[in-house]
Amino acid sequence: MPYASPSAGLPDQMTLHTGRAVFTEAYAVIPREVMRDIVTSYLPHWRESRVWIIARPLSGFAETFSQYVVEVAPGGGSERPELNPEAEGVLFVVAGQVVVTIEGQSHTLTEGGYAFLPPGSTWTLSNRSTEVARFHWVRKRYEAIDGIDIPPAFVTNEQSEPIRWMPGTRDTWGTTRFVEPTDLRHDMHVNIVTLEPGAVIPFEETHVMEHGLYVLEGKAVYRLNRDWVEVEQGDFMWLRAFCPQACYAGPKRFRYLLYKDVNRHAKLPF
């Protein structure tokens, strides 16, 4: 199953400035064509690697998470990937393969591979193959709760997980869930949403959860706040809390990687 990832490079000098990038008070769209070499960055203690940072906490916007697309060349990786002991993470591989070692146990993640990394865990990542690897890395400061355990690390692949179809949709709109919604140990979900050709999200979802939506496959027309926006594979949508959203899927299967914060009280300012 192919997954979209940044194409890098630079556009031709004769390319017109007619792109689709937009940043509003309620949402941002970072289209695939602007994820170029010039906007990459490098991280401490990572070798032969670079990142597209496509979301980071911003006061007054989305404040709970960061999301990277990480590219690791053969021989690259890190023995000290996460420097914040309070940060939990999810890795999702979209190209190539990586070896993730968690608490001394090694796991090879191929395309579709998924790893949950709890706060304070000891892990490393390396690319031992001959091809470039790319993966999403979603990070959030874990909100510990007295009397509730921190969830353990786990590794899987989306091909091993079922799509759970929404009732009444004739198996056209569903979610691949890697964590049970009722598991209160988890304060974030990183899932995959699937809409078959012509399927819809038939109401304007308006809720407290922040979102990062990276389109893995297909195209759609997405309602974001007051606007209908056409999006395609490789695009990223970044939504603050309470941004209305809905969707009409295109002529092919439409799928995206979805972040949302869940299962915790709203923070109060006193």
Side-chain angles (χ1 to χ4, degrees), residues 41 52 94 151-152 155 160 168 197 245 253 269:
S41 187
W52 287 266
V94 293
V155 172
S160 302
Q245 57 187 284
R253 174 179 268 202

Side-chain angles (χ1 to χ4, degrees), residues 40-76:
T40 57
S41 187
Y42 300 88
L43 297 176
H45 305 300
W46 283 79
R47 62 187 183 279
E48 300 298 324
S49 305
R50 60 180 182 172
V51 299
W52 287 266
I53 299 178
I54 55 178
R56 51 154 287 188
L58 289 179
S59 179
F61 192 69
E63 301 180 338
T64 61
F65 76 109
S66 67
Q67 185 163 345
Y68 308 158
V69 181
V70 185
E71 181 180 87
V72 183

Side-chain angles (χ1 to χ4, degrees), residues 252-270:
K252 295 183 178 180
R253 174 179 268 202
F254 178 65
R255 307 174 73 238
Y256 54 84
L257 186 71
L258 172 69
Y259 160 87
K260 61 181 177 181
D261 50 308
V262 296
N263 296 344
R264 293 295 185 267
H265 281 292
K267 289 186 173 63
L268 301 179
F270 53 83

Side-chain angles (χ1 to χ4, degrees), residues 1 3 92-95 110-114 156-159 178 192:
M1 178 181 298
Y3 301 101
F92 181 74
V93 180
V94 293
T110 57
E111 292 182 8
Y114 184 108
T156 185
N157 190 292
E158 76 139 320
Q159 300 301 315
F178 299 94
I192 295 175

Side-chain angles (χ1 to χ4, degrees), residues 204-236:
E204 295 179 348
E205 295 186 34
T206 307
H207 50 63
V208 70
M209 286 85 79
E210 297 175 349
H211 276 345
L213 296 86
Y214 187 89
V215 182
L216 298 170
E217 181 182 353
K219 73 171 186 175
V221 179
Y222 222 94
R223 176 67 181 262
L224 298 170
N225 200 18
R226 304 177 186 90
D227 308 315
W228 286 99
V229 179
E230 191 172 22
V231 293
E232 65 176 343
Q233 58 191 32
D235 290 351
F236 180 69

Side-chain angles (χ1 to χ4, degrees), residues 74-117:
S78 178
E79 277 70 54
R80 297 178 61 190
E82 177 58 79
L83 303 181
N84 185 343
E86 297 181 12
E88 61 186 324
V90 162
L91 310 180
F92 181 74
V93 180
V94 293
Q97 66 179 41
V98 295
V99 175
V100 179
T101 301
I102 307 170
E103 308 298 346
Q105 184 173 357
S106 293
H107 310 268
T108 299
L109 300 185
T110 57
E111 292 182 8
Y114 184 108
F116 171 74
L117 305 161

Side-chain angles (χ1 to χ4, degrees), residues 86-90 116-119 138-142 187-188:
E86 297 181 12
E88 61 186 324
V90 162
F116 171 74
L117 305 161
V138 179
R139 302 168 65 242
K140 181 184 182 297
R141 184 185 295 274
Y142 182 72
D187 66 352
M188 74 169 178

